[in-house]
Amino acid sequence: MRSTGSWYEVRTKEGHILQCRLKGKFKIMGLKVTNPIAVGDKVAYDLESESENTGIIYEIFPRENYIIRQSVHKTAHGHLLATNLDQAVLIVTLTFPRTSLGFIDRFLVTAEAFRIPTKIIFNKFDVLNEEQVVYQKELAELYESLGYPCLFTSATDNIGVEEFWQLLKGKVSLLAGHSGVGKSTLVNAIAPSLDLRTSEVSTFANKGVHTTTFAEMFEIDPETFIIDSPGIKELGLADIKKEEISHYFPEMRDLLNECRFHNCLHLDEPKCAVKDAVTNGGIAESRYISYLSMVEGRDNRK
Ligand SMILES: Nc1nc2c(ncn2[C@@H]2O[C@H](COP(=O)(O)OP(=O)(O)OP(=O)(O)O)[C@@H](O)[C@H]2O)c(=O)[nH]1
Ligand SMILES: [Mg+2]
Ligand SMILES: [Zn+2]
């Protein structure tokens, strides 16, 4: 459920919380990570002290999936962020703070690379003007057509909150999104007992400061869990090779066989099906711009 230094909080089948430590070294095949275990891991433990509620983890079960973030300290090693996720829920706001399409597209590409289905929540519906409402609808249509279900919410005005709950129910979800978009407020709206800390978006920078400080899993009901952490606000472009980036754009993936060159980067190559699709409207220009910025190693997240 969460870790604090060398202690790991483990939720038992019965729903109790045990404080556990790791026994021995855990080598994880093929993964260069700084931490052996992460939120979402399923483990076997021995009860150590019943009175003190402590245990020893001796086994980590195989993972269905995982998300690794590049470590700040050791560049060759990543940091295991979360494992065994059913879905990622990306919370965005058109304004206050503004989430850019570059940020959304990078997140989606990374989630595709880790094979984690993603849904997009457009929060703070209440603060949009008419023009923004129209634009938001167009964006949602675009992303839905690519296979990412979208939902409009206002955590403060109780719009879409029941639908938000339906979308989380029975699943383990990673909540992501810029600081200040309302992740904690939305979760509090469906699970008031969690009472997550929220804070005002700083008007000065139009960008919030992080109020959630470490990765942790919360139980909403015995089948429904969410991971709320600022570390997940952006996933970073996990080691994806230039030639592979288009594989993680579903609308490009569908066309790859039609480019003249099998290793087409969809830049200046002749007979490129991707560029043709951008010209004739089959691929949204904003998506192609995000693609270019990723291939060229630029950053269009701002
Ligand atoms: N107007 C409006 N304000 C909202 C809405 N949802 C959240 N807020 C406000 O936005 C601010 C930030 O909300 P948080 O829930 O703390 O944001 P967060 O995404 O959890 O931020 P971090 O924990 O820093 O990543 C708070 O002042 C909330 O009251 C909404 O739907 N409409
Ligand atoms: Mg928060
Ligand atoms: Zn091409």
Side-chain angles (χ1 to χ4, degrees), residues 57-276:
I57 295 168
Y58 62 86
E59 192 178 348
I60 303 171
F61 294 119
R63 297 174 171 127
E64 281 173 45
N65 56 31
Y66 54 79
I67 287 183
I68 293 183
R69 207 169 57 123
Q70 216 147 28
S71 162
V72 210
H73 309 293
K74 290 187 196 170
T75 41
H77 285 68
H79 180 80
L80 196 58
L81 219 52
T83 72
N84 299 317
L85 300 161
D86 291 315
Q87 62 184 3
V89 176
L90 177 61
I91 300 177
V92 304
T93 45
L94 286 193
T95 176
F96 214 66
R98 185 180 80 93
T99 307
S100 71
L101 299 187
F103 175 83
I104 295 176
D105 292 335
R106 264 166 199 265
F107 186 91
L108 294 176
V109 162
T110 310
E112 289 277 341
F114 288 119
R115 298 195 164 70
I116 299 176
T118 302
K119 292 174 181 153
I120 305 173
I121 311 293
F122 293 83
N123 190 37
K124 306 203 184 181
F125 196 91
D126 57 290
V127 302
L128 302 187
N129 61 34
E130 270 174 50
E131 205 180 316
Q132 288 166 328
V133 170
V134 172
Y135 177 56
Q136 176 167 274
K137 201 159 158 266
E138 286 167 9
L139 283 183
E141 278 166 12
L142 165 63
Y143 287 108
E144 294 234 339
S145 76
L146 302 175
Y148 307 109
C150 295
L151 176 67
F152 303 141
T153 60
S154 167
T156 48
D157 289 20
N158 195 28
I159 300 169
V161 171
E162 174 59 27
E163 289 84 351
F164 178 64
W165 164 234
Q166 290 304 325
L167 163 161
L168 297 178
K169 211 171 166 179
K171 296 196 162 86
V172 175
S173 306
L174 175 83
L175 285 197
H178 280 311
S179 185
V181 295
K183 297 181 293 295
S184 303
T185 311
L186 267 172
V187 171
N188 284 339
I190 59 166
S193 61
L194 288 181
D195 198 17
L196 300 183
R197 224 150 68 82
T198 64
S199 74
E200 293 291 322
V201 179
S202 132
T203 42
F204 180 64
N206 193 12
K207 224 174 213 182
V209 273
H210 291 305
T211 49
T212 316
T213 49
F214 49 92
E216 47 184 332
M217 187 178 272
F218 296 93
E219 175 175 345
I220 297 183
D221 73 23
E223 269 88 47
T224 310
F225 299 87
I226 52 139
I227 299 168
D228 176 29
S229 153
I232 311 166
K233 103 188 166 87
E234 42 193 280
L235 292 174
L237 262 196
D239 283 331
I240 303 173
K241 294 196 202 82
K242 259 187 193 182
E243 310 78 66
E244 282 174 14
I245 294 175
S246 58
H247 300 215
Y248 303 119
F249 280 79
E251 70 274 52
M252 297 187 191
R253 185 163 58 212
D254 290 345
L255 294 172
L256 297 181
N257 288 332
E258 292 170 37
C259 290
R260 176 194 271 177
F261 300 110
H262 78 279
N263 58 351
C264 186
L265 278 177
H266 327 299
L267 301 172
D268 309 307
E269 295 92 337
K271 295 253 158 73
C272 168
V274 168
K275 270 193 307 172
D276 287 350

Side-chain angles (χ1 to χ4, degrees), residues 106 237 240 242 245 267 289-301:
R106 264 166 199 265
L237 262 196
I240 303 173
K242 259 187 193 182
I245 294 175
L267 301 172
I289 291 170
S290 291
Y291 169 76
L292 287 181
S293 114
M294 285 177 230
V295 170
E296 290 163 4
R298 283 185 288 116
D299 191 335
N300 72 334
R301 280 173 291 181

